[in-house]
Structures are given as C-alpha cells and as structure tokens.
Amino acid sequence: MLGSVRSLRTLAAVLLLLVPAGVVTVAAPAGAAPPAAPASRAEVLAPTPPMGFNDWNAFGCEVDEELIRETADTMVAAGLAAAGYSYVNIDDCWSAKERGADGRLVPDPVKFPHGIQALADYVHGKGLKLGIYGDAGTLTCAGYPGSLGHEDLDARTWAGWGIDYLKYDNCNNQSDGSQADYIRRYTAMRQALDRAGRPIVYSICEWGSSRPWEWARGVGDLWRTTGDISDNWASLRSIIAQNAPLYPYAGPGHWNDPDMLEIGNGGMTATEYRTHLSTWAMMAAPLIIGTDLRNASAETLAILGNREVIAIDQDPLGVQAEVVSDRDGLMVLDKPLAGGDRAIALYNATDHLATVGVPAGDTGLDPAGAYRLRDVWTGAVTEAAGTIEAAVPAHGTVVYRVRALRHHEHVAPAVTVAAALPTVVPGADSAAALTTTVTNRGSGPVRQVAVTAAAPAGWVVTPAGATRRPRLGTDQNLTTRWTVRAPDDVTAGEYPVRVTARYAWGRGATTTTSSTVVATVVTAPAPGRRALSSVVPYSTANGLGPVERDQSNGAAGIGDGNLLTIGGRYYNRGLGTAAPGELVYYLGGTCTRLVTDVGVDDEAPAAPATFTVHGDDTAVATSGPLAAGAAPVTLTADLTGVRWLRLTTTGTAGAHTDWADPVLSCGAAGPDDPVLPLRQTVFSFESGTDGFTVANPGTGGTVTQSTAFHTDGAAGLRVETPVPGNWFGAPVPASLDLTGRSGLAFDLRTEDVGTVGEIAVQVGDALTWCQAGRWAWTNPHASRTITEPFADIECPSGVTLDVARIRVVWVFLNTGGVVHIDHVRAE
Ligand code: GLA
C-alpha cells in the first residue's frame, strides 16, 4: 500500500458506530517468557539514538503480524539491519478493543493470530528487537485501550511477551495540562517498566506538549519534541526548526525525538528526503524508518542506508549538533564526533539555490592551515582554508565530515559556484539578469577558471562580462553577469539553468563544479477576474520573512500567519506582507483593474502604514497612513495598459500589512464575472447551523450559529467540545455537485485551546467514510484555513472518492474547548 493512512485515531470514535460490535477477544497467552534480570536504572539502553522501523507513517492502523515479519525479513535482507536499524516497532491499533477477563491487553486476534510473544520470538530470531505502542490515557489515539491506571499490568504483559521498546502516547489523557501531570503519568510507566524487570527502551510521545526536554531525562530514553510529522516539505521544515534549538538537552540515553522518518513515502523529493536524514543525523535523532520497506525503491534504500550519515547519527559521543547560525532560512549545524572529526551541515530551507557557509572559527574546529571536507552524500573530498561553504539547492543539505588537512594530502580546493536569477518574463525585450559567482575556498590557488551557463533549448544566455580568470587565490572570486532570454512562447513554470566552473589546481589536475539555478518564468495573467494571491509575482521584497498567500505575515517563517484580520474583519484570501514591502506583477498591458481592501493586521498592530498601488511608474491608488485597529479601506486602481503592477507598503517597519481580498481583472472580464479560482460554498452558516451535528453525541458537544467569527457573510459556527476530539458535520445539500473542484477547505479560529483541523467525507449510498491523511495544528487564539485536496483523502480499499457522490462533509477538532469555523467550501 502506498501513501499513508494517518490520524485514523481521530476517526476512532466515529468508527465505533460503524465497526461491527462484539470484537472477539482472546485471553493473553500464558507462560510468558522468563523476565530478564531487573534493569538497572544506571544502564543506558539507548547509548546512541535508537534505529529501526515503525509501521504508523506508511500503514496507519493497517498493521498485522505478516507486515512486521516481512519488514523484519527485509531489514535483514536489504542490509538495513547490518547498517544499524534494529527495532521493529508496532504502533497503534495492535490490540483488541477490550481488555481480557484478567484485565490484560489482548492482541487483535485477526491482525496477530499468533500473538505478540510469537512475533517477538520471530523478530529476535532475526537478531532484531520488537517494539510496541501504548498510551498514557484511557484510550490510545485510535481508540484502543490505554494504560492510564493499568501501568503495572501492561508493563508486565509487554515484558512477558519479550518487548524491547515502548512508544507511549498521550491521547485521551484526562490531563489538566500541567507539566506536573505529564511527569506523573509518564513516570508511572517508567516505574512500572522498572518493576516489570525487562530492559525496554522507553519512548515518550507527548508531542512536546509539556516541554519534556526539561523533565524527561531519567524518565524516558527519548521524547517527542513536536506534533506528528507528515510526508511533506512544510512539515519537515517546521519540525527541523522546532527540534534543532533543543540541542543542549540531548545526550546518551536521553534523546530529542523529532518523530519518525517519512523517507520513501512519496510526498517529498529525493533532495528533501536527504535533508530529512541529514538533519536527523545531525540532531542525533532516533532513525525510525516509516515507509513500506518491502516495496522500497533503490533510491529510498540508498538514502536510508547511507553509512556515513548513519555514523554521524550514531556517533558514540552522542552530542546533538549545535545551531551555529540560522538566518533567512539558512542553517549551519556543527556536531562533534568521536576521534576529533566534526560533522558540519549546511541546510538551505529557502526555495532558491543559496550559498550556506560558516567561518571555521565559528565552529568547534581546532585552528588549522586547511580542512579536509568529505561530502557524506557524494563522497567528494575537497579542502578549505577558512570557510566551510557550499552552494546548496533549495530544500537541500550538504553535510561534510571535517578534520584538519594533513600536509601530504593532495585534495582539490573547495570551490563554490553560486548563482542568482530573478524571475524571467518571456520575450525579446525582457532579458533577465543572471549573476554567477565562482569562489575559491581552498588554501591553494585555482587556475584557468572558466564558467559556463546552460539553459533549456531555445533560451539564449549571453555573458555581459568576463567568464574566465587565469587565477583565483584563496577567497577570491569571479563574478559574471549574464542576460537570460526565454523564448517568446515559453509557458510559465520552472526551468533549470546549469552553471559550471572548470579549473585547474595542484599539478595540472582539472575539476568541474556545477550548480543548478531554477528560472521561474511568469507570463501575463489570462483573461478573467482572479484572486491576486493566485497570481505568481515577478518579485517580492518584504519587511519581515516571506510574503504569505491567503494568510497574514506571522513572522520569519513560511505559513506561520493567521487569517488576514483588519479591524476585526477576517479574510481568507489575500497577501500578508510587512512594511516596508513591494510586490511586483507582470501584466503585459492585458489587465484593467485591481480592487483590494487594505489595512494593518490586528495580530501585530504596529502602525501607521501606507498602501500604494503603482501602474508602471505612476501611483494609481493610495490609502494614506492607516492606524492599527482601523477598519479596512478599499482601493480601486485602473490598470489599463499597465505592463508592471507594483504594490508597496511603507510606514512603521515590520507592520503587518494586509492586502485583503485583492481581485485583479484582466482581458474583457466584467465586474460580475466570478472570481477565480472558483469556490463553491458548501456551508456558510448564514441562516443557522446548516444542519451540523456532532458525530459522537455522547460526549456533549454543541454547535451554535455565531457572529463572533466569519469569513463570508455575517455569521459562522461556534463549536464546543467538553472532551478532546470530535467530528462535526452535516449532509451536503442534495443540489450540490462538487465535480471540477480539487479539494475542500474551511476556516477556523481557536479560543483558549489550540486544535487540530481535519476533513472527512462520507461517499456513495453506503456512506463510506473517507478521511484526509494530513492535519494541521492551530495554536490557541489563532486562525487559519484548513485545506484538503481530494487527492489526499483516502477511502477504504475498494472505494473510490467520487466527488459527485459526496453525501456528508465532516470537520474534525482535536481538543476540548471552543472553536469557531466558517465557510466550508470546495475549491
Ligand atoms: C499519535 C502519535 C503518532 C501515532 C498515532 C497513532 O498521533 O503521535 O506518532 O502513534 O498517535 O494513533
């Protein structure tokens, strides 16, 4: 099975209504294995970060003994066991829904017909170890029996079966949310494991909620530091940003756990998956494979099996890399290794090729005349005098194993090939400027340096300066400007331009180094009225972090804003910028009008700020200075004949400046044409609660119409759940056909608690449940849009998601408390 069936846990309550009642239960196997000698608490069970496999990321609840056995077989056969992966871990959904008559947890008799103990014997027979999953609450996340109040019996049961690793989750925890309560619940299992007498690695999984790095050393061998990972770049980037700064807390037997690996699951590029393993290794994170190993590609196995990267993760010193620098999406990590080497990672979280580097003196490297850099992904060896640097592709990471260069070593100088290329507009009069810089970071000179740039067929790349240099000494560079012309008929998109430096070094050896810069081509917008946030800008400059699409400008990161909010009014479309800022769009003379609301966002009310719309070199509409908290102002700009549209904000630096609901009209579009991309409202809550009900009514959830939050019309829905987790939804109006739409979305605003937003649907006459595989966390007192492409909504096998036959739409809210939702729609 490809893809992931994630967060089925959330469906559990509902599934209870659908799964046939009376699940068969069997007694726990008698004659458990003799307990090993009591574990000494001084014993370090995880002197290096645990390595292994867990089924959750790839299989969700679809776990059984065959999968575990076959995975163990594959781990041995594919060489992963030899590379260090030793734990085979079963996640949620392994047990029956009820405890046995003796109170013990019972393996699901269908999924594990031979029981867990037999499986442990099998896995042990392969030289591997078996892990299991439990929960410090009344039910696991997927609704199976939890261990709260049953710690001793469950620990004894697991020890008796021969379990070697316990992942202990945090759902349905009955907690008051205090750190003391977390310590109590997780220590109870620690003590139970000690009493059970078998050495079992104890993996605390409370998602970083109670800052476990502050208290869990000595309780668990590792602790999750973040919410669940998903198989996409935004998730990976966000988890790295959260876990990297926690380096002071990690060490042998007490590891930060940024969650299991997604490598191989298909939602990221090979570059991103290499970043995944690279950063996990630098962060001394557990390496728990989360893909279907039985069907893994050679590329996946090669990434997971990279011995040099694994050696960095498993280094016996057991130190998590220090964050040496982290600016503008470029991070340098520095990890000491046994024997004196250091691993230095250059991580580029931006969307462009970027040069990432660090003076050797800013790292823990001892001063030396030169350093030997071994790239652990390519195997290339170079030498650097004083700057450890590389041109790193977007979302990529270069990891060097570094030590002082020995005198007799003949190693090529490290040469950085950097390139920057602004967005390209097709056509003869619109040549873009490519800048390339070849820098010699080696201790010896490079000679006969020549740089070339290769673009796709039909493009013309012409140097506007020197492309050769007889000699570059240490830290000298050759900077060249080029013009790049895309063919007139090129379609908008991304195109590679490969820049290569060729040079001689030492006694006549010749080497090349290349980088690929991606050219983004923009063309004039097609006719119609469209949300400006759906048009790719030619360029952006922003006072604070990146410009956000359809949300406000949170801070430094991408996607960290809220819904745009001006003077108490919420918008789900627009551009979140920060002063001083400039957005430039290429219109090519084809558009007529821009209408937009503007104002200072309520979330960070620095003010005043002024908004101006420029058509070519003329200001065509301006707001004048706007105060914090002021109502939105509507600007209307005539853009007839304008080639370049510029939107600027000036005023207090860092003011969160919102272009709310900007609509651009091009071609013959009239004011009554629908705004693209089209949206189809499913529930707007204007005339009431639109039939919304609570999926699990026993828990006392309520829904009421409310004007406290709305992103369309004048009202939304207020939802209250006394207990964590419930689905809210309603039958789709019969007249509604969602054919032609690509996904579902809704807007939400939290009050005192944060929540997880998700979407599920019921399809066809059988009302089959299909659920989204991803979920998005929203902090307390925050707002956002939850979107779910239909392609990411998974149905049970044999059922296809026919969007013409969606009968019921549900939204999920994970925590107890009050949450507002509005504008449930298809897009
Ligand atoms: C939580 C955990 C996940 C996984 C699921 C199982 O979300 O954080 O890693 O174990 O529960 O339901």
Side-chain angles (χ1 to χ4, degrees):
M1 191 199 83
L2 238 182
S4 55
V5 184
R6 310 263 337 270
S7 50
L8 281 165
R9 63 196 180 87
T10 55
L11 207 52
V14 174
L15 281 174
L16 279 175
L17 310 172
L18 307 170
V19 165
V23 176
V24 189
T25 57
V26 296
S40 141
R41 293 295 300 118
E43 183 181 350
V44 177
L45 280 180
T48 60
M51 292 175 66
F53 166 88
N54 172 298
D55 57 82
W56 180 257
N57 282 355
F59 299 96
C61 274
E62 289 170 41
V63 60
D64 59 27
E65 61 179 41
E66 198 179 351
L67 170 67
I68 299 299
R69 272 202 317 265
E70 290 176 2
T71 300
D73 295 348
T74 310
M75 283 167 69
V76 173
L80 293 169
Y85 293 93
S86 61
Y87 291 95
V88 192
N89 295 347
I90 305 169
D91 208 279
D92 204 350
C93 314
W94 61 268
S95 79
K97 283 277 174 141
E98 305 294 339
R99 289 175 177 270
D102 56 0
R104 285 184 184 251
L105 292 169
V106 179
D108 181 311
V110 175
K111 294 172 178 165
F112 296 92
H114 299 92
I116 303 290
Q117 193 180 342
L119 191 56
D121 290 345
Y122 183 86
V123 169
H124 291 156
K126 293 255 146 191
L128 300 171
K129 294 170 177 170
L130 187 68
I132 210 154
Y133 166 99
D135 187 282
T138 50
L139 293 173
T140 71
C141 295
Y144 294 80
S147 297
L148 192 66
H150 305 269
E151 289 85 355
D152 270 304
L153 182 57
D154 292 352
R156 279 206 308 278
T157 302
W158 293 323
W161 288 342
I163 290 294
D164 307 296
Y165 186 113
L166 170 66
K167 170 176 170 181
Y168 201 48
D169 215 337
N170 186 38
C171 280
N172 305 297
N173 56 32
Q174 316 299 312
S175 177
D176 60 10
S178 66
Q179 199 181 53
D181 173 74
Y182 277 70
I183 296 174
R184 202 160 41 235
R185 286 181 298 116
Y186 281 91
T187 305
M189 182 53 80
R190 161 79 277 148
Q191 292 169 344
L193 290 171
D194 289 346
R195 284 192 287 266
R198 183 180 170 88
I200 295 179
V201 169
Y202 183 28
S203 158
I204 293 177
C205 176
E206 54 74 276
W207 324 309
S209 309
S210 71
R211 304 175 63 85
W213 47 91
E214 290 175 353
W215 58 263
R217 178 175 179 173
V219 179
D221 302 283
L222 60 156
W223 50 79
R224 282 273 297 277
T225 55
T226 71
D228 286 9
I229 195 168
S230 319
D231 184 22
N232 62 72
W233 166 244
S235 168
L236 180 63
R237 186 191 57 216
S238 138
I239 287 187
I240 295 168
Q242 294 170 69
N243 192 68
L246 299 175
Y247 60 87
Y249 300 96
H254 51 101
W255 307 105
N256 291 315
D257 174 7
D259 207 357
M260 305 173 292
L261 303 172
E262 293 282 8
I263 295 163
N265 287 338
M268 290 186 252
T269 64
T271 298
E272 290 163 348
Y273 284 142
R274 282 191 293 270
T275 282
H276 194 354
L277 196 74
S278 298
T279 52
W280 260 234
M282 295 301 292
M283 297 189 296
L287 301 181
I288 307 293
I289 296 168
T291 196
D292 181 358
L293 281 175
R294 302 163 310 171
N295 297 306
S297 68
E299 182 173 64
T300 295
L301 293 175
I303 294 173
L304 292 169
N306 184 314
R307 298 281 186 127
E308 293 188 49
V309 180
I310 292 171
I312 291 169
D313 181 73
Q314 295 291 304
D315 186 83
L317 281 189
V319 176
Q320 178 172 339
E322 181 174 337
V323 182
V324 179
S325 64
D326 182 13
R327 252 202 10 244
D328 301 330
L330 310 180
M331 188 186 279
V332 176
L333 295 164
D334 175 22
K335 186 182 199 286
L337 304 175
D341 290 3
R342 299 188 82 88
I344 294 184
L346 310 170
Y347 161 49
N348 175 11
T350 76
D351 298 332
H352 317 277
L353 176 75
T355 301
V356 191
V358 62
D362 287 0
T363 71
L365 285 164
D366 289 332
Y371 300 93
R372 177 187 191 274
L373 317 180
R374 183 176 167 91
D375 182 319
V376 299
W377 286 107
T378 66
V381 176
T382 52
E383 59 86 12
T387 300
I388 317 288
E389 184 184 87
V392 186
H395 307 179
T397 305
V398 168
V399 182
Y400 292 127
R401 183 181 263 266
V402 186
R403 61 169 165 76
L405 186 73
R406 301 197 180 103
H407 286 305
H408 60 271
E409 288 178 303
H410 290 287
V411 174
V415 169
T416 308
V417 178
L421 179 58
T423 309
V424 177
V425 171
D429 59 344
S430 307
L434 165 71
T435 307
T436 62
T437 304
V438 178
T439 308
N440 175 19
R441 294 298 185 189
S443 60
V446 293
R447 299 197 166 76
Q448 296 148 40
V449 182
V451 59
T452 53
W459 291 52
V460 184
V461 181
T462 322
T467 59
R468 291 171 179 278
R469 192 62 79 71
R471 182 183 189 278
L472 290 177
T474 299
D475 294 336
Q476 289 184 329
N477 67 59
L478 163 60
T479 295
T480 310
R481 282 178 230 292
W482 314 68
T483 53
V484 174
R485 228 183 66 203
D488 289 343
D489 57 353
V490 71
T491 43
E494 299 196 324
Y495 298 83
V497 176
R498 190 157 176 83
V499 182
T500 301
R502 170 180 293 275
Y503 45 90
W505 59 278
R507 293 185 210 100
T510 298
T511 300
T512 61
T513 300
S514 298
S515 294
T516 299
V517 63
V518 175
T520 302
V521 173
V522 292
T523 51
R529 284 176 82 215
R530 52 172 46 76
L532 188 64
S533 55
S534 69
V535 178
V536 179
Y538 171 80
S539 70
T540 64
N542 203 39
L544 197 67
V547 171
E548 299 284 3
R549 275 180 56 182
D550 299 335
Q551 60 176 260
S552 65
N553 193 222
I558 305 165
D560 57 358
N562 288 294
L563 291 177
L564 299 160
T565 316
I566 306 171
R569 172 159 173 204
Y570 291 87
Y571 298 82
N572 54 22
R573 271 175 166 167
L575 295 153
T577 66
E582 182 189 64
L583 289 160
V584 181
Y585 294 86
Y586 177 66
L587 304 185
T590 62
C591 301
T592 52
R593 223 162 111 93
L594 177 75
V595 181
T596 181
D597 281 4
V598 297
V600 174
D601 196 279
D602 292 350
E603 73 186 350
T610 301
F611 297 70
T612 308
V613 180
H614 311 257
D616 294 322
D617 293 324
T618 314
V620 286
T622 184
S623 67
L626 294 181
V633 166
T634 304
L635 301 181
T636 302
D638 180 354
L639 301 176
T640 312
V642 164
R643 292 192 68 235
W644 296 93
L645 166 67
R646 270 192 321 125
L647 308 181
T648 61
T649 53
T650 52
T652 311
H656 291 203
T657 40
D658 295 347
W659 299 88
D661 230 349
V663 175
L664 180 68
S665 301
C666 300
D672 297 329
D673 287 354
V675 176
L676 303 170
L678 282 180
R679 283 174 158 183
Q680 200 167 344
T681 301
V682 183
F683 303 111
S684 65
F685 310 112
E686 290 313 302
S687 51
T689 57
D690 287 358
F692 258 57
T693 53
V694 185
N696 223 5
T699 58
T702 57
V703 293
T704 42
Q705 190 196 33
S706 160
T707 54
F709 172 76
H710 55 92
T711 51
D712 68 345
L717 195 71
R718 178 184 189 275
V719 155
E720 184 158 11
T721 40
V723 300
N726 219 327
W727 290 94
F728 301 86
V732 173
S735 56
L736 214 62
D737 177 0
L738 306 181
T739 309
R741 307 281 88 85
S742 62
L744 292 168
F746 67 97
D747 305 317
L748 77 80
R749 194 194 83 188
T750 57
E751 289 196 354
D752 295 340
V753 292
T755 195
V756 157
E758 281 183 70
I759 297 173
V761 295
Q762 284 180 274
V763 285
D765 297 334
L767 295 182
T768 309
W769 275 82
C770 300
Q771 195 197 346
R774 308 230 163 85
W775 50 261
W777 172 256
T778 303
N779 289 320
H781 303 291
S783 57
R784 66 184 295 163
T785 299
I786 307 296
T787 52
E788 202 59 65
F790 288 126
D792 288 353
I793 298 183
E794 296 194 13
C795 295
S797 50
V799 179
T800 43
L801 178 55
D802 177 353
V803 298
R805 304 188 69 220
I806 291 180
R807 301 281 182 265
V808 189
V809 170
W810 298 93
V811 304
F812 180 77
L813 302 168
N814 183 54
T815 43
V818 174
V819 176
H820 300 268
I821 70 168
D822 195 23
H823 203 186
V824 181
R825 57 193 180 269
E827 302 191 335

